[in-house]
């Protein structure tokens, strides 16, 4: 099963390097474009002693911000099983309109829409602009993954208070996942809710842990979307995603630290959660 990636890069060494890395990792790069007039966005990550990160971005404008609706490969989107997106592409035009058009093309084709807001406050004009922008497309998603920090940010309340989490629920949503770091995750559907414990590992760098979690979840949803309605299946899938997220924190970097199915299953078999 091959995933496709949609993004505009600068026609520079950084852009071509990143697209080559995608291809080396089995990603379909048909949706990747190169802009000759803008540079590839850069993100610098600094690590704290506990493995948590701080980001510094260089764009304004970078090539990704200049993607237009006319440049979208809508046929590639319509062939997908799941359309997954974040919120950074909502910050400025013309990329925002391209994002909305792609999302609507996916929905009209009956494709599942997956949303991970991935809040990056330094990129937004203000905290309130970030809340408004992120929530502007909230009810378009079929399933949503948020971190506990993002729940606190979006609701301006305690992420451990279930009332705050459920304020993010809406009619028609199939699954809401809240990741709680090393503690694991919580899940909410129309019919059931619960939590799945995480794994205790030697954390070096948390970069990419959320992506490992949601990526492994998307793979399993694409194989069998009955997990939205079957709690036992969902818990099994989330156990696997927790393991993937945990393993990703044990090495530096994002892509180099991504686990294989075998390493995730090995951690699960050790039962160290």
């Amino acid at each position: 099963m091959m995933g496709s990636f949609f993004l505009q890069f600068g026609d520079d060494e950084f852009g071509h390097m990143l697209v080559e890395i995608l291809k080396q990792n089995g990603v379909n790069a048909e949706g990747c474009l190169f802009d000759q007039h803008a540079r590839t966005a850069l993100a610098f990550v600094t690590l704290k002693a506990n493995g948590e990160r701080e980001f510094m971005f260089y764009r304004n404008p970078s090539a990704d911000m200049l993607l237009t609706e006319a440049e979208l490969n809508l046929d590639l989107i319509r062939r997908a099983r799941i359309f997954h997106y974040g919120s950074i592409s909502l910050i400025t035009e013309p990329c925002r309109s391209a994002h909305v058009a792609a999302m609507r093309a996916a929905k009209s084709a009956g494709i599942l829409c997956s949303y991970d807001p991935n809040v990056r406050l330094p990129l937004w004009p203000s905290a309130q602009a970030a809340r408004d922008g992120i929530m502007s497309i909230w009810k378009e998603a079929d399933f949503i993954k948020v971190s506990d920090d993002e729940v606190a940010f979006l609701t301006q309340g305690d992420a451990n208070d279930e009332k705050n989490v459920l304020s993010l629920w809406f009619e028609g949503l199939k699954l809401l996942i809240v990741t709680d770091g090393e503690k694991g995750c919580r899940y909410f559907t129309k019919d059931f809710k619960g939590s799945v414990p995480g794994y205790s590992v030697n954390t070096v760098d948390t970069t990419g842990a959320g992506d490992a979690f949601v990526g492994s979840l998307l793979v399993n949803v694409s194989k069998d979307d009955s997990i939205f309605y079957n709690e036992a299946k969902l818990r099994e899938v989330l156990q696997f995603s927790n393991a993937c997220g945990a393993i990703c924190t044990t090495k530096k970097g994002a892509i180099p630290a991504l686990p294989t199915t075998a390493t995730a299953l090995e951690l699960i078999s050790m039962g160290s959660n």
Side-chain angles (χ1 to χ4, degrees), residues 1 81-82 112 143 216-225 227:
M1 185 183 301
R81 295 181 188 175
I82 301 171
L112 289 169
F143 55 106
S216 56
L217 174 62
L218 293 174
V219 167
N220 281 304
V221 171
S222 69
K223 292 177 180 176
D224 182 7
D225 63 9
I227 68 166

Side-chain angles (χ1 to χ4, degrees), residues 123-238:
L123 297 177
W124 291 87
S126 68
Q128 192 55 49
R131 286 189 196 92
D132 293 343
I134 289 165
M135 297 305 296
S136 69
I137 61 165
W138 194 259
K139 294 186 179 181
E140 301 292 331
D142 292 298
F143 55 106
I144 296 172
K145 173 260 171 191
V146 284
S147 70
D148 50 355
D149 288 341
E150 288 166 341
V151 171
F153 171 72
L154 292 172
T155 67
Q156 300 182 72
D158 183 358
N160 293 312
D161 187 335
E162 194 171 292
K163 286 187 294 184
N164 291 327
V165 175
L166 291 177
S167 72
L168 298 172
W169 181 267
F170 60 89
E171 187 64 31
L173 186 62
K174 293 180 170 64
L175 176 65
L176 175 64
I177 299 286
V178 179
T179 53
D180 292 309
E182 64 182 15
K183 292 186 291 184
C185 66
R186 288 170 278 167
Y187 58 88
F188 302 85
T189 75
K190 185 177 69 171
D191 299 316
F192 49 79
K193 63 183 179 180
S195 63
V196 179
Y199 292 86
S200 179
V201 295
N202 182 25
T203 296
V204 174
D205 179 1
T206 59
T207 308
D211 296 322
F213 177 96
V214 79
S216 56
L217 174 62
L218 293 174
V219 167
N220 281 304
V221 171
S222 69
K223 292 177 180 176
D224 182 7
D225 63 9
S226 72
I227 68 166
F228 295 136
Y229 315 104
N230 184 317
E231 187 171 11
K233 282 186 181 180
L234 177 60
R235 291 184 64 85
E236 185 178 344
V237 164
L238 292 178

Side-chain angles (χ1 to χ4, degrees), residues 15 35 40 67 85 87 101-102 109 119 129 158 182 188 198 200 244-245 266:
D35 189 307
T40 301
L67 179 68
Y85 46 88
S87 67
V119 176
D158 183 358
E182 64 182 15
F188 302 85
S200 179
C244 289
E266 182 180 359

Side-chain angles (χ1 to χ4, degrees), residues 1-2 4 22 27 30 42 53 58 60 68 71 101 115 118 135 147 152 155 176 191 204 223 234 245 250:
M1 185 183 301
M2 179 180 285
S4 299
L22 289 172
V27 177
E30 280 182 71
L42 300 180
R53 315 132 305 157
Y58 284 84
N60 292 326
T68 66
E71 293 172 308
Y115 190 17
N118 205 22
M135 297 305 296
S147 70
T155 67
L176 175 64
D191 299 316
V204 174
K223 292 177 180 176
L234 177 60
T250 62

